[in-house]
Amino acid sequence: MYRLYAQVKQTFLKKFIHQFFPFCSRMMGENERTPLLKGADDEKELSGCGGTICCNPWRPVHRYLVLIIMCFLSFGSYFCYDNPAAMQDTMKSDLNIDTQTFMGFYSFYSWPNVILCFFGGFLIDRVFGVRLGAIIFSLFVTVGQGIFALGAFVDKVWLMDMGRFIFGIGGESLCVAQNTYAVSWFKGRELNMVFGLQLSFSRVGSTVNMNVMPTLYRFMAQFYQGYTCLGVVLLIAGCTCVMSLFCALALAYFDKRLNRILKKDEEKTGEVIHMTDIKDFSIAVWLCCLICVAYYVAIFPFIGLGLVFFEQKFDMEPADANAVNSIVYIISAVASPFFGFVIDKTGKNVFWVIAGVLVTIACHGTLAFTFINPYVAMSVMGLAYSVLASALWPMVALVVPEHQLGTAYGIMQSIQNLGLAVISIVAGLIVDSKGYLFLEVFFLAWLCLALIGAVLLYVTDATRGGRLNMSAGTRRNIEELQEEVAPSAAANVGRT
């Protein structure tokens, strides 16, 4: 009896340790180990790697280390993107410009991306690869911010516009590279959470910018005056772009090492993206683009103009107005990873997108037609923004082959930037001529268009099997079935 008890106890302990303590399981004999990678026949597949927790690229410790670097890849871009929003009053007074000219800083950022985001994605897929592409686009961001700061330093608005143009060439294409990295490392695992976490870190960059830049300007005003002080402050902000460049270099190293150890290049089908492949993108991809542009034009241009809006309508001091204007970024920085995790567990991406759009419509309506404390509407808008972004962007990876992902994300961001470029100018004109109430009605109309697009996406997806709105469990079962079928199909092809 005692021997039977000891045998059961030993078997149970082995299974417990094996399940919950992978590190300890490696201390067992060879016959007691499980493969380090799903589907791996033996540890020879990890050539050049000792298979330890930190060394194995598929181990959580290693992947999450890369994820942290991946998140900081676009930190500098987002920090510097909203430099104008953080110092709207300061820029307009130091440079002696009107609202329309001020919003040009956002338009000149967006215009190049109407075309270049698409080509940036195509170049990532076909020419540079994601590693070299991320480094090149990080260089554009760094150089562009330097020229933007130089333009302010010498009081030349046209030079600042040029700097924002160059900055824009790299900024959005860098996001395409970041999305491509995310899918490469995390597809089939925690992709929604990863997109949410990336969004969180980018919002952290914008939030830090909103709160740090005015304080930095006041400090530097002790030593410099007017547009000279503005130029110095913008140059200091450019240090964050240099940090992002180092992240691009680090990611290139880790990704190259991943390919070497796991021999990912051998798993590729050899397919490459062609320009003509774009016509074969499903209607779901184009509806995602429509939702993206119609939703985002009601968020970013509003935040770009929000400082003065809160000062005028709610009689706030500049510091308080800046705080409430940045609350969307603060909330999304905290909430995005959480909602990404929830969406990973529940699925139903399209329903989450519809919910995010509906809640945002309610928030803009509250800001437009009531005098309720704006912290309420902006906080809820931050939650809705987190939900939509965490659910929308990963859907593209569900309907587009991996060798076309860079191009698909590039097209999506190109269309988004076309909308942002045009709407930024139109929003400035509306504020100068009609005021902020008309601006809010304008944004509500765009959100209604996003809602129509989301409903159409649900209908078209339902007629094609409902892949985008499946529960997480159903989607996982289908993916596992496809993985089991693929090898046998390949073997049959080889025998014919």
Side-chain angles (χ1 to χ4, degrees), residues 165-378:
F165 187 91
I166 296 172
F167 183 88
I169 291 174
E172 295 300 308
S173 295
L174 185 61
C175 292
V176 174
Q178 186 182 42
N179 291 338
T180 307
Y181 266 132
V183 174
S184 175
W185 279 78
F186 293 95
K187 185 178 180 181
R189 291 173 176 82
E190 313 94 350
L191 189 57
N192 289 285
M193 186 193 72
V194 168
F195 271 90
L197 194 61
Q198 286 184 348
L199 172 66
S200 172
F201 270 73
S202 64
R203 292 306 108 206
V204 167
S206 298
T207 302
V208 172
N209 159 76
M210 290 284 190
N211 292 279
V212 167
M213 292 301 286
T215 304
L216 180 60
Y217 181 88
R218 287 192 295 271
F219 175 78
M220 297 306 297
Q222 302 176 54
F223 311 101
Y224 305 94
Q225 299 299 320
Y227 55 80
T228 303
C229 179
L230 180 63
V232 172
V233 170
L234 292 174
L235 186 62
I236 294 173
C239 295
T240 59
C241 299
V242 177
M243 180 195 70
S244 292
L245 176 59
F246 280 110
C247 289
L249 294 169
L251 274 177
Y253 165 76
F254 281 112
D255 194 64
K256 185 175 181 179
R257 180 176 177 275
L258 173 76
N259 279 9
R260 185 184 73 249
I261 293 173
L262 300 185
K263 302 177 181 178
K264 291 189 69 177
D265 290 336
E266 296 178 5
E267 300 173 3
K268 293 182 178 179
T269 61
E271 294 179 284
V272 295
I273 180 72
H274 300 279
M275 288 290 186
T276 54
D277 291 345
I278 297 170
K279 72 179 187 304
D280 297 324
F281 282 173
S282 67
I283 187 65
V285 175
W286 301 110
L287 285 173
C288 285
C289 293
L290 172 64
I291 298 166
C292 179
V293 66
Y295 184 85
Y296 277 72
V297 298
I299 300 295
F300 293 134
F302 172 72
I303 292 175
L305 293 167
L307 181 66
V308 177
F309 169 68
F310 294 118
E311 289 176 355
Q312 291 182 358
K313 178 169 182 176
F314 298 96
D315 196 26
M316 287 184 162
E317 294 296 322
D320 295 331
N322 217 357
V324 73
N325 197 36
S326 65
I327 197 70
V328 170
Y329 292 158
I330 295 173
I331 295 294
S332 65
V334 176
S336 295
F338 169 75
F339 282 117
F341 176 79
V342 171
I343 296 169
D344 273 324
K345 296 301 181 183
T346 63
K348 303 291 184 181
N349 289 57
V350 181
F351 280 166
W352 285 104
V353 168
I354 292 174
V357 176
L358 283 172
V359 173
T360 307
I361 290 174
C363 293
H364 270 286
T366 302
L367 291 170
F369 304 115
T370 74
F371 284 88
I372 296 174
N373 191 315
Y375 275 101
V376 176
M378 294 296 283

Side-chain angles (χ1 to χ4, degrees), residues 42 107 161 283 293 403 489:
D42 53 56
S107 289
D161 288 337
I283 187 65
V293 66
H403 70 280

